[in-house]
Amino acid sequence: MAKTRILIPMALALMLASSTAHAYTFDAMCAPESDRAVGADAPNLYFMLDRSGSMGDPSTDPSLTRWEAATIAIDEVVNDITVDGACSMVGDPNCDPLRFGLGFFSSGATNAVDVQEDAHINPTPTIKDAMDGTGPGGYTEIGAAAEVIRDASFLMDTNRSNIAVMISDGGPTSDGNCFSTTAPIDETIRGVQAICTARTRGSNAVQTYSVGFGTDSSASTNSLFAAAGGTGTCCLASDCAGQPRDPCSMSETELRSHLSTEQPSVCRQAVLLNSLQCTGSIEATSPSDLKNALLDIASAAACTFPLEIPATYPFVGAQPDPQATRVNIVHTFSAAFMPPGEISLPNVGDPSAPTSPLATELENIWGVPPGIAANYDNEGWYFSDANRQFVTLTPQLCADISAGDLTRVKTQVACACVKSGPCTAVDLGGFTPTQLSNMRCGIGTWQCIMGEDVCVAAGEPYPEICNGLDDDCDGEIDNIFESWNKPENMTFMIPADHAGIACQMRTTCTCDNGWQDPIAGNTWDEMLDAWTGTCQCGEGLEAPAETPAVDVAPPAAESSDQACSSTANAPQPVPWLMLLGSLGFVGLINRRRR
């Protein structure tokens, strides 16, 4: 499709692009960016084909056995997608959009054709030659097949997407006794473990599809393999409305507890998933169904790219929020800018009902004419697996890859939280651990905010009250006078129902036996309400320095009995009480002015 480009200043493009910037932090120190040149870095797609004895049974097409139908389908898919000629560079029309390979499994498994460019014509044997040179026979050792996928060096490519497709017409077995009740379960676990290892190994992960062919296929077991390979999901039957259960996170004991077999009298035992429900297998009954399924997988594979997930990342794949994953492309739309720009692709959500503003962004930011931009309405990317290890581009962008208009895809996951538990919420600044433990804002807990670890304090700093704590976070406990005279605290008021809680702004608070109120309350009012009253205001521990001296004779000395009696029983002369009150009031005013 010919495309007309209208240039706008790069500064304007960058300004507009910044309006849609991610709120998450993307930094190579957290997770490296993956940069793939499409075409020259075409994905690897590996078919692992069942050639057990049952594949010699008739297919739904009476003229073809299952084996014949499967080999025809694979040959046609490979020929439909590959192109003749050597691939020399990015954008070369001779580059295959996919590099194919082939393996077989029955009683054991073997690699037949390494994944490579022009696998339909170049290697000896070609994919077709390899299929024509063998035939059905033996058992269904799916575990052995999965181990070939796990161990194949060509599926450890860190520069390409690595994708495997297991095609089988029945349940797993590993010995000649088709009535065995243990062999199918052992072989299933063996397969799940190998597929999980390939999927979770980092930047060269393998995404595995599971395709059932024929009327005897075990859809539930195939779906378990798909879930292990990242193309399906499992859940506990009692909690399928809750979180999915990844079989790769299960121990062998737990996984085995979910599996059983049919009655011993049944040959070719099917493995039953008792309390586990899995979906994701692709079931193809007829030869045409199989070819269409393989074409769909191949089409998606050509536009599927792995995310580079650091070993220390707290998720198997990307974070659940799509905003924490970045997918940028280099396209002819952006290549006209100097320097060439990168178009940030939006996530479309559910690929079956995609929504995105890409068309508008292409028109407004990159100067793409409206008629052309309209072709990209609701285009972008989506997670192609339940564990968010791979992203897939939508159909128009995939077509641009084939046309050579989209030449690079860059992906990156955002920084993610890895910390939990208590933390120091303020700069140490010479504070001792004891001082920090006494502060309202000294000790906090690690919280995950927009993908970053943030130490959130237990409380905000406030003026001191009588509670045995360092409320204003200056390293001192209950230094009330000093605290209330800080400029930042001058606007705080103590409500009438809490009068006396701050000792009338005097440093006269005492707490018996080192008592400290619990650090509580996220607001000033909540902090006041949380006061326990255990600490009390003493008498005259600090005299106001600026109170003027008054030449007044002190009252007569009291006897010890009088000192211990209440004021109600031993009234003082009224003039003396009034004078004391006046002096206290003057002292309070002077304190508030210090």
Side-chain angles (χ1 to χ4, degrees):
M1 176 176 59
K3 299 178 178 67
T4 303
R5 293 187 291 274
I6 299 176
L7 302 184
I8 60 175
M10 177 56 77
L12 177 59
L14 294 177
M15 180 184 69
L16 291 169
S18 67
S19 65
T20 58
H22 297 283
Y24 288 88
T25 299
F26 292 86
D27 191 323
M29 296 297 291
C30 302
E33 181 183 64
S34 177
D35 184 357
R36 285 176 165 77
V38 299
D41 290 341
N44 296 323
L45 182 59
Y46 188 66
F47 293 119
M48 177 55 75
L49 178 60
D50 181 0
R51 68 171 195 87
S52 63
S54 58
M55 286 291 285
D57 294 346
S59 70
T60 55
D61 181 344
S63 65
L64 297 172
T65 65
R66 295 174 185 171
W67 174 259
E68 291 168 339
T71 57
I72 290 172
I74 290 174
D75 183 54
E76 289 180 351
V77 168
V78 171
N79 279 284
D80 286 350
I81 291 177
T82 54
V83 294
D84 295 344
C87 174
S88 59
M89 59 183 292
V90 176
D92 186 338
N94 290 327
C95 291
D96 291 337
L98 288 172
R99 293 157 32 108
F100 289 99
L102 178 69
F104 302 121
F105 69 99
S106 57
S107 300
T110 182
N111 172 56
V113 180
D114 288 359
V115 169
Q116 58 193 282
E117 177 84 8
D118 291 333
H120 64 305
I121 56 175
N122 274 345
T124 303
T126 66
I127 284 183
K128 186 177 188 308
D129 291 338
M131 293 187 296
D132 290 344
T134 188
Y139 317 125
T140 313
E141 290 194 32
I142 289 181
E147 288 170 353
V148 169
I149 292 171
R150 178 196 65 194
D151 299 336
S153 60
F154 46 79
L155 291 179
M156 297 181 184
D157 195 333
T158 58
N159 295 316
R160 308 172 188 274
S161 300
N162 299 296
I163 300 164
V165 182
M166 293 202 311
I167 307 167
S168 177
D169 74 332
T173 62
S174 60
D175 59 34
N177 180 10
C178 71
F179 298 102
S180 171
T181 58
T182 58
I185 293 177
D186 292 342
E187 196 64 19
T188 297
I189 293 174
R190 179 186 177 192
V192 168
Q193 291 175 334
I195 293 171
C196 285
T197 299
R199 193 201 89 201
T200 59
R201 64 188 176 198
S203 60
N204 57 355
V206 180
Q207 183 183 31
T208 301
Y209 289 86
S210 183
V211 178
F213 180 41
T215 56
D216 298 327
S217 171
S218 178
S220 60
T221 311
N222 291 339
S223 290
L224 175 60
F225 294 134
T231 59
T233 57
C234 291
C235 63
L236 293 179
S238 60
D239 188 33
C240 277
Q243 293 296 319
R245 291 298 308 275
D246 184 355
C248 297
S249 66
M250 297 181 187
S251 66
E252 179 177 338
T253 300
E254 180 185 0
L255 181 59
R256 191 177 291 274
S257 71
H258 295 305
L259 307 179
S260 65
T261 55
E262 295 174 316
Q263 295 300 316
S265 61
V266 179
C267 186
R268 292 182 183 173
Q269 297 269 330
V271 175
L272 306 178
L273 278 58
N274 299 326
S275 53
L276 201 62
Q277 293 184 3
C278 301
T279 59
S281 72
I282 301 172
E283 299 299 314
T285 303
S286 69
S288 61
D289 290 341
L290 179 61
K291 179 182 177 180
N292 290 335
L294 298 183
L295 278 173
D296 288 344
I297 293 172
S299 297
C303 302
T304 297
F305 302 88
L307 298 171
E308 190 158 352
I309 309 297
T312 57
Y313 211 62
F315 300 91
V316 174
Q319 299 181 53
D321 184 356
Q323 291 295 313
T325 298
R326 181 166 59 187
V327 180
N328 290 354
I329 60 171
V330 175
H331 195 284
T332 53
F333 291 145
S334 58
F337 291 91
M338 294 303 294
E342 295 178 9
I343 299 174
S344 179
L345 295 182
N347 175 266
V348 301
D350 183 354
S352 64
T355 59
S356 90
L358 183 58
T360 301
E361 292 176 359
L362 290 177
E363 183 179 348
N364 293 340
I365 298 174
W366 301 100
V368 178
I372 296 174
N375 295 319
Y376 297 86
D377 190 34
N378 295 326
E379 290 280 315
W381 67 271
Y382 58 91
F383 290 120
S384 49
D385 65 307
N387 297 288
R388 303 178 299 279
Q389 290 180 288
F390 299 83
V391 296
T392 298
L393 305 188
T394 46
Q396 181 59 57
L397 294 168
C398 285
D400 289 354
I401 291 177
S402 300
D405 293 323
L406 195 163
T407 57
R408 304 195 78 85
V409 176
K410 299 183 178 183
T411 59
Q412 189 176 21
V413 296
C415 297
C417 303
V418 295
K419 298 178 180 179
S420 62
C423 58
T424 301
V426 297
D427 186 4
L428 288 177
F431 294 129
T432 66
T434 300
Q435 286 176 310
L436 291 172
S437 66
N438 295 331
M439 290 182 184
R440 283 183 53 79
C441 51
I443 302 300
T445 56
W446 289 110
Q447 295 185 22
C448 188
I449 299 176
M450 296 305 293
E452 293 194 63
D453 292 300
V454 177
C455 187
V456 178
E460 295 291 325
Y462 290 119
E464 294 283 343
I465 63 174
C466 186
N467 58 6
L469 297 173
D470 180 4
D471 296 309
D472 61 1
C473 304
D474 64 355
E476 297 293 331
I477 295 174
D478 293 338
N479 55 331
I480 298 175
F481 175 79
E482 179 184 354
S483 178
W484 278 89
N485 279 278
K486 291 179 179 180
E488 63 269 24
N489 293 337
M490 288 293 189
T491 59
F492 285 88
M493 301 290 290
I494 295 180
D497 58 342
H498 288 296
I501 199 171
C503 300
Q504 295 184 341
M505 290 69 176
R506 299 169 182 250
T507 303
T508 60
C509 179
T510 58
C511 301
D512 291 340
N513 301 317
W515 170 265
Q516 289 181 318
D517 282 3
I519 297 175
N522 294 319
T523 67
W524 173 242
D525 289 338
E526 289 176 359
M527 186 183 91
L528 298 181
D529 290 339
W531 183 61
T532 66
T534 305
C535 297
Q536 294 292 318
C537 299
E539 295 183 5
L541 299 183
E542 179 184 279
E546 294 161 326
T547 301
V550 180
D551 188 10
V552 179
E558 296 178 315
S559 68
S560 58
D561 291 340
Q562 288 176 320
C564 293
S565 64
S566 68
T567 56
N569 294 329
Q572 300 296 317
V574 172
W576 175 246
L577 291 175
M578 293 176 63
L579 178 60
L580 283 179
S582 300
L583 291 175
F585 180 71
V586 172
L588 175 60
I589 294 176
N590 285 334
R591 285 178 178 278
R592 297 296 292 127
R593 290 178 178 174
R594 285 181 64 181

